[in-house]
Each structure stands twice: as structure tokens, then as C-alpha cells.
Amino acid sequence: MSQVGTTEVIDGIGILTIDYPPVNALSVHTRKALDEGFRQFAADDSVKAIVLICAGRTFVAGADISEFGKAPEGPNLLEVFDIIESGSKPVVAAIHGTALGGGYELALVCHYRIAVPSAKVGLPEVALGLLPGAGGTQRLPRIVGIPAALDLITGGAPVPAKKALSLGMIDALAEEGKLRDDAIAFARTVVAEGGQLLRVRDRQDKVEPYRGQSEIYADYLKKNARAFRGFKAPFNIVKAIEAAAELPFDQGIARERELFQELLTSTESAAQRYYFFAEREGAKVPDLPKDTAALPVKSVGVIGAGTMGGGITMNFLNAGIPVTLVEMSQAALDRGVGVIRKNYENTAAKGRMTAEQVEQRMALITPLLGLEALNNVDLVIEAVFEEMGIKKDVFGKLDGIAKPGAILASNTSFLDLDEIASATSRPASVIGLHFFSPANVMRLLEIVRGAKTSDAVLATALKIAKTIAKVPVVSRVGPGFIANRVMAPRSYAASALVLEGPTPQDIDKALFDYGFAMGPFAMSDLVGLDVIGRGSNERTLNGDLVKLGRLGQKQNGGFYDYDEKRQPSPSPVAAQVIADFAKAKGVENKGPQSAEAIVARLLYPVVNEGAKVLEEGVAIRASDIDVACILGYNWPVYTGGPMFWADTVGLPKVVEGLRAMGIEPAKLLVDKAAAGGSFTRG
Ligand code: 3HC
Ligand code: NAI
């Protein structure tokens, strides 16, 4: 037996334990262990039934994603599955942690599934740009029916054990902590009752009623058009599920294979699989010693109960960590706490929280006036106005108030963290925790490491990110850190390009079709042109529209006109303002441009800024830039983010494109292009 699998037989029940840390993925080693283990039990007459269980934190978490695209080795997954399902001895899958993707497909070829209440099961392949390629699209519909299968597989969310039981995705719940014993007892009962082999593949009752109804799939795609836009996987998933209703099992499996292979070789899936690992890389800081102990954070103080302070506070309340929230006036404090309550109540009204949970979270806030209230918290996060003078004043005072060892964090978007830290006598305790708005929703957390930030403080920030379910990306100090900085050139390019011929709608459509939720002009109208231009003394295009009373969606339209349902249409007034502005600036109208040219004009400069951020050591790795743009700016994940995308475009082409725009490419970009290198591959 390989080291990954261990077998034992207890009173006629064969137990195969898989142990392949960290998540028992179906690597060649795991497949071998399954193959050997099941063959061994098949040949052992003393074994009447089999329990398949895993060691460590979880049941099998899926295929080994790192093996995709490599030459297949060892036993084939489908053949191993066939040995299990077609065997003559009942098999019980005993599930703890997560049975996901190929892991849940493994459970589906077992004849019974039992799980502890804390377990989750599901088919999340869609997030990797894939479909369940080991029978999941054919077996799950046979258990839950077509409509539920469509939602479960295109949605990909893991299903908690209790719900899974009610859907039939598992057959029984085990007692928490007693999975092994309960699974053995379950197997014994199966044997005692005749050893029935329940094979999901043989079931017809749940799919038969849907046969011949092709409109189900067309309607489903139409209903979800917005969510599926740009992705490939949901479309293939729907086709595969249709095959489950229409075709005999073996043909359905063949169709699933075909559709899976198509996805596996797509750029979209390559990008999404890259992104899966990129998200996890962010927490790894090469020069941070692995054994650096994090400081305990049992209480938090937040300064400023405005837009950001409120959202930041909610993250900690959600994690059960008490927050002292500090403001300048009672009115501001009341307003801030009121917004938090309202947010929770809205969630409760949607049924996603109970009234009791709302009160439990609210009870964790201590709203107070004055920084003195922060004398005993472990971590302070400052979210006051974005002005160096105010921030330094706050940090200077905090220095005299906070207990020794407390972490002093700033949520500044653009200011120099080292200068803020210099207002204290303990710059080693100062760090940037840059949340994105709305802070309780957006998953990105830029952790800004100051010149003097200590390792322990950085390690603590990384741990906090995990505690509050954020994806961390570490940045050095620099204007705009990572996401805001690299995305800024997109806005500049849009403002320049609109003077040269392409209309706001041409530019917005090109970016929308690329995969952004909306283009820059639609976005400006949504945010408000008065808000965007605030603080600038120069004559700007936004400013000219504002002078005419055009503030965007909220007043008189902006770059677009809007009807009473806020539907946009091209604005002749805006077109005239743009033409006048271009004339005043001496910019010649060169007429329309192709979507490809528009995308290059707006996004190559982002890649270039990304290269500079890397060159300067502000970001640790290219994938951190991609994660920051995808999570911070909704950059379409199926392109992999700006740096991965640049690699797919080809770096020499990006360099040439930038030069044609009159932009000097970053040295790193030029060097990589010349050397045939890439940002994200190898
Ligand atoms: N293959 C390879 N490595 C994997 C993996 C997988 N399926 N799942 C997780 N890992 C790695 C992670 O990269 C990470 O490595 P690191 O420590 O070096 O960074 C390590 O395992 C731990 O993962 P997490 O940090 O994500 O651990 P958590 O405890 O937070 O989460 C989990 C565990 C819920 C299992 C989560 O890892 C997860 O969602 N994994 C992916 C599940 C998935 O998508 N499965 C489907 C795979 S595709 C498939 O099965 C195709 C099939 O249909 C043919
Ligand atoms: P805001 O104006 O909504 O809130 C700031 C709050 O701080 C106000 O309620 C104000 O009363 C309070 N305040 C000011 N000085 C104070 C003091 N000395 N003591 C206690 N309270 C004080 O501002 P917002 O948008 O929440 O921004 C806060 C910080 O977060 C800024 O540094 C900003 O750059 C940053 N940020 C903002 C983002 C956004 O999208 N709004 C995104 C990421 C960071």
C-alpha cells in the first residue's frame, strides 16, 4: 500500500484512509492509493463493505489543480471511479471538511454518503473555468433533478451538510467528531440489510421528467445572461446537464468529457486556475520568516465612523471581535452606528441573518467620543479624512494613548504611510490596512508595509486578513499602493481618447465587452461628475459638464442622457461639450477606432504601471497586481488580470502598442519582452 492510503479491516468492514496533505487532492498518489485500496478490498473475502475516509482537515478537495495541463500519470480518475462504483461491495464515503469537485464526484461514485454537520459538499469547478469532469454533471442531476443541478453546478457554492441532506446530496449525518465510528456503523447496517448497492448512475426518476425540454436550458441561460457574460464554463455546464436528461449515462459521460476538455484548453480556464493560486500567493511574503509569531488581536479600535470606518468595523463584528468605534461628534457617531445597524437589518430582511444575530453583532460595538477610549485595544484602524495633517495629529495622539505593542493601522488610500508613522515614537507598530469600499463587502485588503513596520506586525496583519475573510496583497509604501495606482492610467487614457474621436459609448462598450461591469464614462455618471472632479482647479471635461448642471445620473445626465428608469442614451449636449473641449485643447478628431484599439489604449498603460510597481518593488509579484485589480476593480477574472492578460497578448505587442501611443514602456516590460519572458508564467 502506498503511504497515501492505509487499509484496515474491522469486523468485516474495510476502511481505506486517504492521507495526502494539505487537502487530499486527487493527485497521482491519491489515485494510486484509491486504486490499490479498492482492489485489495475487492479481493479480500472477509470484507463485506467499505468505508472511504480521509485524514487531516478535509475529505478530498478535488482534482489536483496543479496537475492540469501536465501529461497524465498513473491510474486514470474515471477508471478508478469505475472500480469503486461497479464493485460488488457497498462503499460508504465518510465526509468531513469539504468534499469538493472531484472529491464530491468521488463521493458520488460511492454507494452511500455520510457527513458530519460541519462538512460541506459541492461542485465548485465553475470558479476554475471548468465543469465537473468526473461524472458530476451526470450524477448530481440524477439526485437533485435538473433545475437544482443547474443552480448548484453553475453557482458552485459548497452546500452545508444539513442542506445537502435535505437535497439528497448526502444520505445521513454523523455525529461531529464521531465520523469514523458512525460510518462503520452505517456500513454494518447496509450489510445487515442485504448490502444493497445504490448506484447513482442507474437512477432515472429525477431526470426523466425533464426529457425533451430544451427550453429549460435556453431560459436558464437567458435568466443568468448577466452573471455568465464572458465566462465559458457556465455554457458548457448547461450543455452537460442537458445531456444528463437526454442521453444514456455512458453517452452523457462522454459528452461531459468532451465539454470538459474544451474548457481545460481555454484561455478563460487557464486564467481562472492561475487566479486560484494567485489569491493564495498573496499571503506569502518571501522575506518574512515563516515562524514569525502573530500578536494576539482580541479587541479593535476604529477611528472615524464614516463610509470606510463603518464597513471596516462590520468585518470585525462579523468575526466576533469587539470594536470600540471613535468619532469626533455624537452626531457622527450616531450616524455611523445607525448605518451599521441598517446594513445588518437589510441583510436580516433578506433572510441571510436572524434578528438575534443582528443584536449579537451590534452588542460588540462600543461607540465613544475621544481617542482616549483606545487605551486598551490590540489594534487601532484609523479611517479619518484623507489629509496628512489630520492623520499625523491622530497618530501623534494615539502614540500617547495606545498600550505598548498595540498595532496602529491607517486606511489611507494615497498618503505616505512612513510619514504618518513618523508622527509616533513606534513606527515599527504602524502598518497600512487599505480596505476597499464597501469595506464589509470587498474582499481585497492591501497590507501596506512601511519602511519600519516590524515582521510581527506584518504577520499579524496577514493573520487578521484571514480572520476577517479578506484576500491580502502586500504593498510597499508608494503613491496609491497597488490597485489604485495601476488602474489610474485607465481613467487618464479614457479622458484623452474621448477627445480624439471615439465617443463615450464607443469607449464604454469596448470595456464592457472586454468584461468590466461598466465603462469609465458610465461609471463617472454613476459616481457623480461633481464628486470626481472635486479639488481640481484646472479646466476639465468633467468640470465643463458640471458647469452646465450635468452632474451625472443624479442630475441632468452627464456623459449620457438618462430616462426616468435611468436608462442611458447618447447625449448630443455632452458630444458638443467634448468637441468644444477638444478644440480648446487643440486635439484633432481622428474619427472612430476599433474596440481592440480602444482596449489597448486604456489597458496597456495599466500593464505598464503594473510593470513599474513590480520594478520598484512596491508589489512582490505580478500575480498580486492581478489579484488587486480583479478584487479591487472588478477586472474580469477570466482574463487573469492585467499582467496575466499582457502575457496572453504577448509582451512585444504591448511594448510596441505603448510606444505607438507615445508612452515610454517600463524597463522591466521592455526587458521581459526582449528576452521572450512573461510576468506570470514560470
Ligand atoms: N489542487 C491542488 N492544490 C490545492 C487544491 C486542489 N484542488 N485545493 C487546495 N489546494 C492547495 C492550495 O493551493 C493551498 O496551497 P498552499 O498552502 O501552498 O497555498 C493549500 O491546498 C490549502 O488550501 P487553502 O489555503 O485554500 O485552504 P483552506 O482550508 O482555506 O480551504 C478548500 C480548503 C476549501 C479545500 C480550498 O482549498 C478549495 O476551495 N480548494 C479548491 C476546491 C476545488 O475547486 N475543487 C475542484 C478542483 S477541479 C476538479 O475537481 C475537476 C474535476 O471535476 C475533474
Ligand atoms: P468619511 O468622510 O466618510 O469618514 C471620515 C470620518 O472620520 C468622518 O465621519 C469624520 O467625522 C471622522 N473623523 C475625522 N477626523 C476625526 C478624528 N480626529 N477623530 C475621530 N473621527 C474623525 O471618509 P471615508 O471615505 O470613510 O475615508 C476615510 C479614509 O479611508 C480616508 O483616508 C480615505 O482615503 C480612505 N479610503 C476611502 C475609500 C472610499 O472609497 N471612500 C476607499 C479606501 C480608503
Side-chain angles (χ1 to χ4, degrees):
M1 201 66 223
S2 73
Q3 280 177 324
V4 171
T6 321
T7 55
E8 60 189 303
V9 182
I10 301 178
D11 292 341
I13 308 296
I15 301 157
L16 172 59
T17 307
I18 297 294
D19 187 5
Y20 183 63
V23 295
N24 297 312
L26 289 165
S27 67
V28 54
H29 312 290
T30 311
R31 295 196 300 273
K32 267 192 191 145
L34 288 168
D35 185 64
E36 287 170 17
F38 279 96
R39 282 180 198 275
Q40 182 188 322
F41 285 147
D44 183 342
D45 286 341
S46 75
V47 172
K48 304 296 174 215
I50 300 161
V51 167
L52 171 62
I53 194 164
C54 291
R57 68 216 241 199
T58 180
F59 192 76
V60 172
D64 189 333
I65 307 169
S66 61
E67 277 185 5
F68 289 148
K70 296 186 185 150
E73 243 190 282
N76 169 297
L77 191 58
L78 292 185
E79 284 163 15
V80 175
F81 279 14
D82 193 49
I83 292 173
I84 300 173
E85 189 175 45
S86 302
S88 59
K89 299 175 183 179
V91 181
V92 180
I95 302 169
H96 75 295
T98 42
L100 297 178
Y104 183 57
E105 290 174 298
L106 169 63
L108 285 175
V109 296
C110 297
H111 308 103
Y112 303 91
R113 289 153 292 280
I114 177 168
V116 287
S118 61
K120 289 182 180 171
V121 301
L123 298 172
E125 285 87 343
V126 68
L128 302 167
L130 294 172
L131 55 75
T137 65
Q138 304 306 299
R139 289 193 182 84
L140 187 60
R142 284 174 160 75
I143 293 181
V144 300
I146 297 295
L150 285 169
D151 283 342
L152 287 166
I153 308 180
T154 63
V159 181
K162 269 194 192 144
K163 179 151 181 236
L165 181 67
S166 70
L167 288 170
M169 293 174 76
I170 60 170
D171 303 300
L173 284 178
E175 197 178 317
E176 201 73 57
K178 291 210 168 146
L179 179 61
R180 195 182 132 102
D181 290 350
D182 285 0
I184 293 172
F186 188 99
R188 285 220 176 90
T189 309
V190 171
V191 173
E193 289 173 358
Q196 208 190 352
L197 297 162
L198 292 181
R199 295 192 176 107
V200 177
R201 70 171 183 215
D202 295 337
R203 281 184 66 176
Q204 288 303 322
D205 55 313
K206 292 284 183 176
V207 287
E208 220 154 32
Y210 300 99
R211 202 152 290 158
Q213 298 183 40
S214 58
E215 68 282 1
I216 297 179
Y217 311 98
D219 290 349
Y220 192 74
L221 289 176
K222 206 165 147 201
K223 193 176 91 187
N224 291 287
R226 236 179 112 119
F228 295 169
R229 185 172 73 92
F231 291 94
K232 265 212 167 78
F235 298 90
N236 282 23
I237 288 171
V238 170
K239 283 183 199 158
I241 293 175
E242 183 170 5
E246 301 301 323
L247 300 178
F249 183 78
D250 287 339
Q251 285 179 34
I253 288 284
R255 180 78 179 120
E256 177 191 88
R257 194 96 291 253
E258 221 172 76
L259 292 162
F260 178 80
Q261 285 301 335
E262 198 176 295
L263 293 175
L264 192 58
T265 50
S266 69
T267 317
E268 288 83 351
S269 175
Q272 289 179 266
R273 280 178 277 134
Y274 156 79
Y275 179 72
F276 175 86
F277 290 111
E279 258 198 13
R280 285 154 178 82
E281 279 299 295
K284 296 172 191 161
V285 181
D287 67 333
L288 181 67
K290 275 210 164 44
D291 53 0
T292 311
L295 306 167
V297 175
K298 298 212 164 59
S299 58
V300 172
V302 173
I303 313 176
T307 309
M308 295 307 289
I312 292 169
T313 299
M314 290 175 73
N315 287 305
F316 290 95
L317 305 181
N318 296 346
I321 298 173
V323 177
T324 305
L325 183 58
V326 170
E327 256 293 349
M328 290 195 295
S329 70
Q330 192 60 45
L333 199 53
D334 292 346
R335 193 174 52 233
V337 173
V339 171
I340 294 174
R341 173 173 281 284
K342 188 97 208 121
N343 274 335
Y344 281 136
E345 283 172 353
N346 287 343
T347 308
K350 289 181 197 141
R352 288 196 264 121
M353 236 177 133
T354 63
E356 196 187 345
Q357 283 170 326
V358 173
E359 296 314 320
Q360 276 166 0
R361 292 191 196 181
M362 290 308 293
L364 289 172
I365 310 185
T366 309
L368 284 171
L369 295 178
L371 299 177
E372 293 72 21
L374 303 175
N375 63 351
N376 207 21
V377 295
D378 298 321
L379 161 70
V380 182
I381 304 175
E382 164 278 310
V384 307
F385 304 131
E386 183 80 345
E387 262 188 59
M388 184 55 90
I390 301 183
K391 303 250 188 219
K392 281 173 93 167
D393 179 56
V394 166
F395 273 77
K397 287 181 181 147
L398 259 185
D399 192 27
I401 293 168
K403 69 180 181 189
I407 298 175
L408 311 181
S410 173
N411 181 48
T412 180
S413 319
F414 291 97
L415 300 175
D416 181 342
L417 184 82
D418 291 330
E419 191 178 340
I420 296 175
S422 74
T424 74
S425 62
R426 39 175 143 169
S429 297
V430 177
I431 196 162
L433 292 180
H434 184 213
F435 290 82
F436 286 70
S437 180
N440 53 319
V441 177
M442 298 288 276
R443 292 175 61 226
L444 179 63
L445 178 64
E446 283 185 353
I447 296 179
V448 185
R449 186 181 188 186
K452 296 186 178 158
T453 305
S454 74
D455 285 351
V457 168
L458 178 59
T460 311
L462 288 163
K463 188 163 173 221
I464 289 166
K466 200 162 171 93
T467 309
I468 61 173
K470 298 288 176 200
V471 178
V473 160
V474 176
S475 172
R476 282 287 185 185
V477 177
F481 312 118
I482 299 176
N484 287 344
R485 171 168 169 194
V486 303
M487 290 305 294
R490 181 184 64 162
S491 313
Y492 302 141
S495 305
L497 183 61
V498 79
L499 304 181
E500 295 171 19
T503 62
Q505 35 293 0
D506 293 340
I507 297 172
D508 282 351
K509 182 169 184 325
L511 275 228
F512 179 81
D513 289 346
Y514 179 87
F516 286 96
M518 60 174 79
F521 297 100
M523 178 60 97
S524 299
D525 277 3
L526 179 70
V527 175
L529 301 185
D530 53 333
V531 177
I532 289 174
R534 204 158 44 196
S536 166
N537 296 324
E538 272 179 58
R539 178 177 170 191
T540 61
L541 189 52
N542 281 357
D544 280 10
L545 287 161
V546 171
K547 270 188 213 140
L548 293 180
R550 295 181 71 89
L551 304 190
Q553 282 199 20
K554 63 185 170 189
Q555 192 184 307
N556 297 332
F559 286 99
Y560 294 86
D561 289 333
Y562 294 89
D563 64 16
E564 50 300 340
K565 285 188 184 146
R566 295 212 165 187
Q567 285 304 309
S569 58
S571 164
V573 178
Q576 191 56 51
V577 172
I578 292 167
D580 292 346
F581 189 82
K583 203 168 161 201
K585 293 273 168 189
V587 180
E588 186 194 342
N589 187 324
K590 298 192 211 100
Q593 291 188 16
S594 69
E596 196 193 347
I598 293 172
V599 165
R601 176 71 182 272
L602 266 64
L603 302 186
Y604 285 3
V606 174
V607 174
N608 197 36
E609 200 63 35
K612 289 184 194 165
V613 158
L614 269 181
E615 207 168 73
E616 293 166 19
V618 169
I620 296 172
R621 51 180 85 80
S623 63
D624 287 357
I625 299 172
D626 287 332
V627 170
C629 292
I630 287 169
L631 294 182
Y633 278 83
N634 280 320
W635 187 295
V637 64
Y638 51 79
T639 70
M643 309 315 277
F644 185 91
W645 174 67
D647 286 340
T648 57
V649 168
L651 299 187
K653 188 171 169 189
V654 176
V655 167
E656 201 182 305
L658 284 164
R659 290 203 169 121
M661 296 167 200
I663 298 172
E664 185 49 37
K667 183 170 181 307
L668 183 68
L669 176 53
V670 174
D671 290 351
K672 280 193 184 288
S678 83
F679 287 115
T680 60
R681 286 170 203 159

